[in-house]
Amino acid sequence: MAKLTLDGNEIEAEAGAPLVEVIKQNGTFISNLCYVDGLQPYAGCRTCLVEVEGARGLQLACTSRVNEGMVVRTDTAQVLDARQAVLSIINANHSDRCLTCHRRVHCQPGDICLRDDTVTHRCLTCAKNYRCELQTTNEMLQMANYEPWLGEDRTYYESEPPEADRANPFLEFDPQMCIICTRCVRACDELRHTGAVTLAGRGFDTRIAFGAGGAIHESNCDFCGSCIDVCPTATLLEKPNKWIAKTETWVSTTCNSCSVGCTLSMGVRNGKVVMVKPDRLNPVSFDQICVRGRFHYDAVKTRDRLTRHLVRDGDALSPATLEAAVGAASKKLTDVIKAHGAESVGVLVAPWATNEEAYAAQKLARGLIGTENIDSSAGPVATAVGEALIGAFGTDALQSDLADLVNASTIVVIADDLESSHNVAALRIKDAVVNNGARLVVISSRYGEVCDFIAPPPSGSIMPSPQKVHSAAPTGVWLRPSPGGETATVATLGRILATRLGSEADGPDEAPGIDSDDMARAAEIIQGTGEGTLAIVYAPSAASAALAGLGARAAANLAVTCVGDAASSSLHILPTEANVLGVRDMGVVPGDGARGVEEMLSGGVKALVVVGDNPLMLMPNRDAVEASLKALDALIVIDSLRTETAELADVVFADLPAYGKDGSFVSADRRVGRLMRAEDATGDQRDALETLGELAQSLKASLGKDFDLATDAHDLTNEIAQHVEGYSGATTAAVESGRTRILRGTPSAAQMQPLALPETPATNGGLLLTTSRTLFTSLEGASIKSEEADKMHREEFLELNPADAAALGIGQNRPVILTNGSHEIELSAALTDAVAPGSVFLPLYYEGGVVNRLLPADGAPVTVSVRPA
Ligand code: SF4
Ligand code: SF4
Ligand code: SF4
Ligand code: SF4
Ligand code: FES
């Protein structure tokens, strides 16, 4: 630590820390229009000038580093003069009428400007008015009336404004507002490793450009919005709600779109979320989120949500009061229990339900209804993976922490396309490769963006960063097995490594489609981890429990081979949905001898209570699932959307929207994320917890039982902390910190497990059907088959390798028919090398999960044929 004097006050800061950050952390205002905390300084705007005693002239605070005894002044007249002068040059290239107007402090939003009837573009007409860093900077530097350009030709007002790009649904780019601070370029390159934004042109023509200079959606931008967060002007803005995004309050919550569990800060206005930013609570996501976290709050409009409870009346579902709906549901369930016994009732809980909902639902099932038939649509996959982990470590709770990924020296990724399924986890892997020189082994038959990182990309940064590793030679390898050969590849790699390490070797000699040199290279890379850290990241298939379980065993074996008893800390398993782990921990697991979701949905129960789950979208063998739901004597659904499952119900309770709830989630690395109510209820919407409570009250009376169910999320969080194994530290207060992890016991000595590898799927001239979670499609949008579920319309295709397409006479974007022999799906073809020859890829949530019509219940690989439509 060093002692320095800042504006006359002695403070302490880390020696060598960027002075600008220390000044800000100290609560002192400093203009710094081109600096991004944590990144190398660009030193382009010169607005961060300060006086440093002993230095000649004023210094840039962003390039200065703290040292012992430093005396810094940010508040002298000379500093203000100099900053005003540089800011006036920046203003000269910006719409600055409001910025320098003497009336500025009197203007309120919506006021008509009395001063200037010729200029239409200024703060008062700008979507970023009152939330703009350039504007604040002008105010803090007292720029009102500062018009050194009076009477001169003004660059901004004299030149033709460049055209804005408003062609995509997420990100607007209005270059006439740009001050060329290059923050966006550096964020996209250094924080996201994407390089979609560049600094193009020279001198007066210098400008910000996307890709080759075209529209944003034609570049490789994946709409994470990181550049929006750093843009100090209105040049880059979130498109949804941009005119109303003047937030009244910010609410910290957790993303519900995958198991990384990024923490979000939701900007709220009039009881609705209008903007989302990263909330730095979760050290894994910290200042980054993905397109789903940032924009999917807006995927479904309020008008598309259920706002009234519904009760079946013949063929139709008709609106009903809560009392009537509770009465109808309770009567239906009581009739079934009295006629067929409590074990004829089942309860399904969504893998994105909160811990509190899951806990309350299983308590109601066990304690009041008296059934152990309780599961989730994600249950079979989670059970298969959990059993593999128990076999390896004696517990299904891994010790690994996704926050450690950035420090791993070797990373093995076993996933279909991690970039799309678990974006921020993929980002941390890219960080490790680009910033720390980690070596990467990717095992996947399908291309995902992490495959590009087997060689660190040359930095497109305008300010080369010293920590970056610039190497032309690949430091990683992509093992691309024949479709379906991933597990065999992991097993083969494990055997080769065991042989090299002199331990007991078991596993196949070779993997289908893998070059033996590549395999040897992968083994060499992993073996070369030495004293460094190995991370094995596995994202199991959400579509097949059989494949997921086998894959988890193979991944655990590989970890045990490489690091022995430390394997539980090296292996990261990423479930597809947000709260798969929490829901299971809460007891949403069928009891001994009871029925799991597959049995419940093949005639095993007569009544089903569905808490947010949507088996019609998530379960394979959809025809059978549909028939079994239709055959139920009672189907009670609690959901905020009128899903296909809800359509078949006898009673539907209108739930709050996902971001309208309090509660908690457990991420893939067992971190408890706090959900806080950001949105207000609309119409009759009721929190699922309250609905469960009302239902319990009614059932209690009709069944003549004594039962008590808390309906407040905070009370339930504390009840969970008291009663659920491992959760004693997860009280409401602890969960708020965002850093509580639930490790549930210590792993036992790590065990290798035998693998019964299936034959490589015989395709008999057909194509292997593959599926996984894609980046842009919203779960909620898909569950009501919204045409806007994928607002980018990028994932509404059957992906097909060009070689297979040529053989089948199928052209790019041409309509095709995909069939497994009993079902046909018609859609357009996208020809892409991302898909290995011999396979096709259909996104998991396309058309409300229609892929599940083609997938069999046992999760076996499916061969399909494709023909031109
Ligand atoms: S970007 Fe900021 S400074 Fe520029 S017009 Fe908009 S609100 Fe004003
Ligand atoms: S949205 Fe993300 S990927 Fe796109 S340009 Fe901005 S930082 Fe880059
Ligand atoms: S778009 Fe925004 S962040 Fe990028 S250079 Fe322009 S003003 Fe700076
Ligand atoms: S990575 Fe997952 S948790 Fe994070 S923002 Fe994206 S979808 Fe949400
Ligand atoms: S912040 Fe220091 S020069 Fe821009």
Side-chain angles (χ1 to χ4, degrees), residues 781-797:
S783 71
I784 50 168
K785 290 195 172 177
S786 157
E787 286 187 4
E788 291 285 284
D790 165 17
K791 291 193 183 197
M792 293 299 297
H793 304 294
R794 282 185 178 174
E795 299 170 351
E796 297 164 343
F797 298 91

Side-chain angles (χ1 to χ4, degrees), residues 192 254-264 276 282 284-285 288-296 418-427 576 578 659 667 773-775:
R192 302 298 303 197
T254 303
C255 178
N256 68 354
S257 289
C258 89
S259 64
V260 178
C262 299
T263 34
L264 308 177
V276 172
N282 182 338
V284 180
S285 52
Q288 299 301 315
I289 49 177
C290 78
V291 63
R292 297 202 293 253
R294 193 178 297 265
F295 294 112
H296 279 189
L418 196 72
E419 169 83 10
S420 296
S421 59
H422 301 84
N423 186 275
V424 171
L427 174 62
T576 302
Y659 290 125
S667 66
R773 181 77 161 101
T774 47
L775 183 60

Side-chain angles (χ1 to χ4, degrees), residues 94-95 99 122-123 126 128-129 132 134-135 177 233-234:
H94 194 82
S95 150
L99 298 177
R122 55 184 178 271
C123 296
C126 176
K128 212 166 180 183
N129 195 18
C132 169
L134 179 61
Q135 192 179 50
M177 309 306 258
T233 67

